[in-house]
Short mmCIF file of all heavy atoms in Angstrom, two decimals:
data_model
loop_
_atom_site.label_atom_id
_atom_site.label_comp_id
_atom_site.label_asym_id
_atom_site.label_seq_id
_atom_site.Cartn_x
_atom_site.Cartn_y
_atom_site.Cartn_z
N GLY M 92 2.95 -0.21 9.07
CA GLY M 92 2.88 -1.08 7.91
C GLY M 92 1.91 -0.55 6.87
O GLY M 92 1.41 0.59 6.97
N ALA M 206 -30.96 -11.36 -2.35
CA ALA M 206 -32.16 -10.57 -2.61
C ALA M 206 -33.25 -10.83 -1.59
O ALA M 206 -34.16 -10.01 -1.44
CB ALA M 206 -32.68 -10.86 -4.02
N ARG M 240 -59.98 1.33 -20.39
CA ARG M 240 -60.97 2.31 -20.83
C ARG M 240 -60.86 2.59 -22.32
O ARG M 240 -61.86 2.83 -23.00
CB ARG M 240 -60.80 3.61 -20.04
CG ARG M 240 -61.11 3.46 -18.55
CD ARG M 240 -60.91 4.78 -17.83
NE ARG M 240 -61.84 5.79 -18.32
CZ ARG M 240 -63.07 5.97 -17.83
NH1 ARG M 240 -63.52 5.19 -16.85
NH2 ARG M 240 -63.87 6.91 -18.32
N VAL M 295 -41.84 5.43 -29.91
CA VAL M 295 -42.80 5.71 -30.98
C VAL M 295 -42.31 5.13 -32.30
O VAL M 295 -43.10 4.54 -33.07
CB VAL M 295 -43.05 7.22 -31.10
CG1 VAL M 295 -43.86 7.54 -32.33
CG2 VAL M 295 -43.76 7.73 -29.85
N THR M 336 -31.70 15.36 -29.87
CA THR M 336 -31.34 14.95 -28.51
C THR M 336 -30.07 14.11 -28.49
O THR M 336 -29.29 14.19 -27.54
CB THR M 336 -32.49 14.14 -27.89
OG1 THR M 336 -32.81 13.02 -28.73
CG2 THR M 336 -33.74 15.00 -27.74
N ASP M 526 10.11 2.94 -8.81
CA ASP M 526 8.74 2.59 -8.42
C ASP M 526 8.63 2.58 -6.89
O ASP M 526 9.34 1.84 -6.22
CB ASP M 526 8.41 1.21 -8.98
CG ASP M 526 7.01 0.73 -8.63
OD1 ASP M 526 6.19 1.56 -8.21
OD2 ASP M 526 6.74 -0.47 -8.79
#
Side-chain angles (χ1 to χ4, degrees):
R240 294 180 63 88
V295 171
T336 56
D526 180 15

